[in-house]
Amino acid sequence: MNQSGSRSLPTLVLLVLLASAFSPALGGAVQSSGSDPLGVEFTDVSNITGLSNISSGPLSNWASYGPGTSWGDYDGDGDLDLYITARFDQLGMETEESFAEGTEQSVIDAAIEENRSGQTFLMRNDDGQFVDVSVSAGVKLVNSTAIGASWADFDGDGDVDLYISKFGVADFSLTAINSGGEENIMFSNNGDGTFSDVTALTNLGNPGHSTGGVWADYDHDGDLDLYSINSGIVDERDFDMWPETNILYRNDGDSNDDGVPEFSDQTIEAGRISGQELNPTEDFIPAVSNESKDNAPEGAQGGDVVLGNGNVLSPAGTGVSWAALWFDYNKDGWEDLFIASDFGISPLYENNGDGTFDLVTGEAGLLLQGTGMGAHAADIDGDGDFDLCQTNFGPNFIWYNQNGESFERELDSDFHNNDDKRITVNWDCHFFDYDLDGDFDLFTTAGRINTYVPTQENTLFRNDGNGWLTDITLEAGLGGHEKSMGASTVDFDGDGDIDIIVANSDGPLQLFENNAAQITGNHWLKIALQGNQSNSYGIGMLVEVELSDGSVISQQTYAGSGYLGSGDPVVHFGLGSETQVKEVRVQWSSGHIQVIQNVTVDQTLVVMEESPPPVDDNYLVLAAIAILVIGIGGRILLIRNRNDSALSEVDSNLSED
């Protein structure tokens, strides 16, 4: 039995050729073209915080997945706790053993099972020390393929709940292919440090090959809905690909009064936002490449999404989805949906505001083939709209938003032109203001996909103030050679600057502490939302900070983002030398804009949603009078017209006589 990766044959060949052409450059340290003028550095504190000894599964140098990291204050004590997902080998074949022909199946099965020994951890934050409480909390998973996790208050009771995304066994030869995978899990927070499995009650099982879940109140009814992401299976041994549809779950509320909301699948009804081109008559039947039909699972059909067979790529996506992102790209107040699709075009679905979506990938200017793995959005050029990052196996894409009408790809700066990074196997990306200077910088994770591609480095790009991205990885202390799948950026120690956790598939977790708040003297502001008409944590809301010079910094709140990395819903603003914020504006899903003026910096501002101001009674009276006058006027005009008509008829009769 041959070892196998997770990429298509053409992609594999391309990477091999590129790696051989550029291996001398990739083999050494990455040469950074810039420096950090403020002297900001990151220090690895994994050991002293208790994270370095966490082993979420077997180590691998091949096509393993995980672990993922997700931050949330599950116990409500004011600091961020950490859920770490499993690490496992995708095909169960990365044992470094080569099975000869005739090897007994029991031997092969044992090796596969060993490589599925991934486990998860809930690490409680006790003043910067992390303690494993997985078992007592009831969220410990063993022999698991759970690689994705996101925190969200799905039931609106004020505490964050935990959604687990399981990949399942990814082998065409195993029975899992027929069952669709392993069910995801919805854990409800009991409010006492423990969780209950409410998957069956919520209908959120999604037995696909799932990679993550992202939350938003897409219909603005005050509760959180879920978009669950499935990647399907890619098997290079037989050159098979089995894409799967993503699922949009609408929160329908607690209809049976059991204390748990029920969710319904709205993927088709909402506008076929599955992440792939669906057959109009046979929705949710997976597609495989034409050349692999002979090896396809029963019921599969040929499709346009293929391993380089020349068929047309769909702007709806491939169905091999790794990450998704809710963000308001066109500034109409409704959360739109972007999906990172492998082997093709990554689609954008525009929210119509009535529960439905339109596919707008082409008109938005995003018709560029890639191998999408991660996605994140931020206003990196300061023009008031959200720009988009898509990580790929190869050059990443930065899409600059053109006032909500379309996107233009960035083709300048170190981000695009650094030859050492152009063929990097990229997994995740996150925008955040690491130096607190008021603009958004970018961190990307990278690592090898197979033995033919050299190990590559994660990268920190500094925003020079106008969207220009400069590589400062080494200067910031983030250099190193690991296979990093996911990352997340949060202020885990509460000192005001944003730290980075990196999840490695071939080594331990790395938690990097940022010293920007101490070194730069720059100020900051964190804003935590509390909704009442909107969802409880204000997920999906637009938050704007206006500074003394009139400039505005914008952010949107997320619950789940990126690839295998998720932060908390608090928005974090770097303010540079500003000592007071002129105005904070929150646009709630109701459409009401709440304004807080003259805000003190270097604090966490809690904004409770206010009710829209009542309409002045005088205006109501005037409106009623106006309606009455219009109505009376219309009545008089109608009577006059009728009288005129009657007189005309009399005159006509007289003339005839």
Side-chain angles (χ1 to χ4, degrees):
M1 189 175 295
N2 298 324
Q3 289 189 347
S4 157
S6 65
R7 314 305 303 167
S8 70
L9 182 62
T11 303
L12 176 63
V13 173
L14 176 61
L15 289 173
V16 172
L17 294 174
L18 290 173
S20 60
F22 291 97
S23 57
L26 290 170
V30 174
Q31 296 300 311
S32 173
S33 59
S35 62
D36 185 356
L38 301 177
V40 176
E41 292 183 346
F42 289 84
T43 303
D44 190 339
V45 295
S46 312
N47 187 43
I48 64 175
T49 57
L51 293 177
S52 61
N53 294 323
I54 296 297
S55 179
S56 57
L59 303 180
S60 173
N61 290 319
W62 193 254
S64 65
Y65 291 127
T69 58
S70 184
W71 297 89
D73 182 11
Y74 84 95
D75 52 4
D77 64 352
D79 53 29
L80 290 172
D81 312 295
L82 177 65
Y83 195 80
I84 305 167
T85 63
R87 177 171 53 203
F88 76 103
D89 290 332
Q90 181 200 8
L91 300 176
M93 301 300 299
E94 294 81 52
T95 61
E96 307 259 343
E97 297 179 32
S98 186
F99 300 111
E101 240 181 271
T103 302
E104 292 188 10
Q105 189 62 44
S106 61
V107 175
I108 298 173
D109 290 343
I112 291 174
E113 188 62 30
E114 181 184 354
N115 280 302
R116 294 186 67 248
S117 60
Q119 57 182 322
T120 66
F121 298 85
L122 175 58
M123 306 298 292
R124 187 183 67 212
N125 187 342
D126 290 348
D127 297 323
Q129 294 292 309
F130 291 93
V131 180
D132 183 7
V133 295
S134 318
V135 175
S136 61
V139 293
K140 182 71 174 182
L141 302 177
V142 296
N143 296 323
S144 176
T145 62
I147 59 173
S150 57
W151 296 95
D153 183 14
F154 85 101
D155 52 8
D157 63 355
D159 51 34
V160 289
D161 312 290
L162 182 63
Y163 188 67
I164 304 296
S165 300
K166 291 185 176 182
F167 193 87
V169 178
D171 194 326
F172 278 88
S173 67
L174 300 179
T175 57
I177 194 75
N178 298 317
S179 63
E182 299 177 354
E183 267 203 348
N184 296 346
I185 304 176
M186 185 73 245
F187 284 115
S188 177
N189 192 334
N190 297 323
D192 59 0
T194 67
F195 294 78
S196 297
D197 185 343
V198 294
T199 309
L201 298 176
T202 59
N203 303 314
L204 292 177
N206 182 13
H209 293 83
S210 193
T211 60
V214 289
W215 299 82
D217 181 11
Y218 79 91
D219 52 3
H220 288 190
D221 63 351
D223 51 33
L224 284 178
D225 314 293
L226 172 68
Y227 194 73
S228 184
I229 309 153
N230 294 326
S231 71
I233 301 172
V234 178
D235 188 342
E236 289 177 7
R237 291 170 298 176
D238 297 317
F239 309 112
D240 288 329
M241 183 167 72
W242 190 13
E244 291 175 332
T245 58
N246 307 323
I247 302 175
L248 175 66
Y249 291 105
R250 185 184 67 197
N251 190 332
D252 296 327
D254 184 11
S255 61
N256 56 12
D257 296 325
D258 60 359
V260 179
E262 296 87 44
F263 291 75
S264 59
D265 183 349
Q266 297 294 311
T267 314
I268 301 299
E269 291 79 358
R272 312 173 69 81
I273 56 172
S274 64
Q276 74 173 74
E277 189 70 52
L278 295 174
N279 187 307
T281 59
E282 299 182 71
D283 290 327
F284 292 108
I285 293 181
V288 297
S289 62
N290 289 337
E291 62 260 51
S292 65
K293 285 183 180 181
D294 293 339
N295 299 314
E298 184 178 355
Q301 62 184 11
D304 292 338
V305 181
V306 299
L307 309 179
N309 70 351
N311 287 345
V312 177
L313 296 169
S314 170
T318 65
V320 182
S321 305
W322 295 106
L325 179 71
W326 293 101
F327 78 115
D328 184 10
Y329 93 93
N330 58 358
K331 304 187 296 184
D332 65 352
W334 294 88
E335 299 90 326
D336 310 298
L337 181 65
F338 179 79
I339 302 168
S341 288
D342 210 348
F343 302 108
I345 295 167
S346 293
L348 176 65
Y349 296 94
E350 183 178 313
N351 192 337
N352 295 319
D354 59 1
T356 67
F357 295 76
D358 287 333
L359 178 66
V360 295
T361 316
E363 61 190 77
L366 297 175
L367 292 177
L368 183 62
Q369 181 177 357
T371 54
M373 303 303 298
H376 207 225
D379 181 15
I380 63 173
D381 54 3
D383 63 353
D385 48 36
F386 291 105
D387 312 296
L388 182 63
C389 175
Q390 173 188 325
T391 45
N392 299 291
F393 286 8
N396 297 326
F397 301 155
I398 288 287
W399 301 101
Y400 284 108
N401 195 331
Q402 306 299 305
N403 197 35
E405 298 177 357
S406 64
F407 291 86
E408 290 186 3
R409 187 184 173 195
E410 184 270 350
L411 293 174
D412 215 336
S413 82
D414 283 3
F415 179 83
H416 181 77
N417 292 325
N418 190 336
D419 288 337
D420 287 342
K421 303 297 176 103
R422 285 185 57 77
I423 65 170
T424 299
V425 178
N426 299 283
W427 295 98
D428 202 2
C429 58
H430 289 275
F431 289 113
F432 72 117
D433 188 357
Y434 87 94
D435 52 4
L436 304 177
D437 65 350
D439 51 38
F440 293 98
D441 314 291
L442 177 64
F443 183 73
T444 63
T445 62
R448 62 194 308 177
I449 185 60
N450 53 48
T451 57
Y452 303 103
V453 177
T455 302
Q456 297 158 7
E457 291 199 353
N458 306 328
T459 309
L460 176 64
F461 294 97
R462 182 179 185 272
N463 190 334
D464 291 344
N466 56 2
W468 182 279
L469 299 173
T470 301
D471 182 355
I472 59 161
T473 308
L474 296 183
E475 290 83 351
L478 292 171
H481 296 276
E482 304 287 351
K483 178 184 176 181
S484 303
M485 302 291 286
S488 47
T489 55
V490 297
D491 182 14
F492 90 93
D493 53 4
D495 65 351
D497 49 38
I498 305 176
D499 314 294
I500 303 174
I501 190 167
V502 178
N504 298 307
S505 287
D506 60 352
L509 291 170
Q510 293 176 286
L511 178 60
F512 293 97
E513 184 179 32
N514 189 351
N515 69 350
Q518 294 75 35
I519 284 298
T520 66
N522 287 337
H523 298 287
W524 53 274
L525 178 66
K526 292 191 281 188
I527 299 174
L529 304 182
Q530 293 184 4
N532 48 60
Q533 298 180 62
S534 306
N535 64 84
S536 58
Y537 282 81
I539 303 302
M541 306 302 112
L542 174 66
V543 183
E544 296 179 325
V545 168
E546 184 176 345
L547 306 181
S548 59
D549 62 357
S551 60
V552 176
I553 311 172
S554 303
Q555 287 197 62
Q556 200 162 5
T557 54
Y558 297 117
S561 62
Y563 172 71
L564 301 189
S566 178
D568 73 312
V570 172
V571 288
H572 198 139
F573 292 89
L575 302 173
S577 60
E578 295 284 331
T579 57
Q580 188 177 57
V581 169
K582 179 180 178 181
E583 194 168 273
V584 172
R585 296 187 291 269
V586 180
Q587 181 173 321
W588 299 95
S589 58
S590 65
H592 175 58
I593 298 176
Q594 186 171 346
V595 179
I596 304 96
Q597 296 179 327
N598 300 322
V599 176
T600 303
V601 301
D602 301 336
Q603 65 154 327
T604 298
L605 175 69
V606 179
V607 179
M608 301 183 66
E609 183 179 10
E610 65 181 10
S611 299
V615 179
D616 193 304
D617 291 343
N618 292 329
Y619 287 107
L620 293 176
V621 171
L622 291 174
I625 293 173
I627 294 171
L628 181 62
V629 169
I630 293 172
I632 294 173
R635 180 67 175 169
I636 293 173
L637 183 62
L638 178 62
I639 294 173
R640 181 178 177 181
N641 288 339
R642 287 177 176 174
N643 290 337
D644 290 345
S645 177
L647 290 174
S648 297
E649 186 176 349
V650 171
D651 291 340
S652 177
N653 292 335
L654 291 174
S655 298
E656 291 177 0
D657 293 340

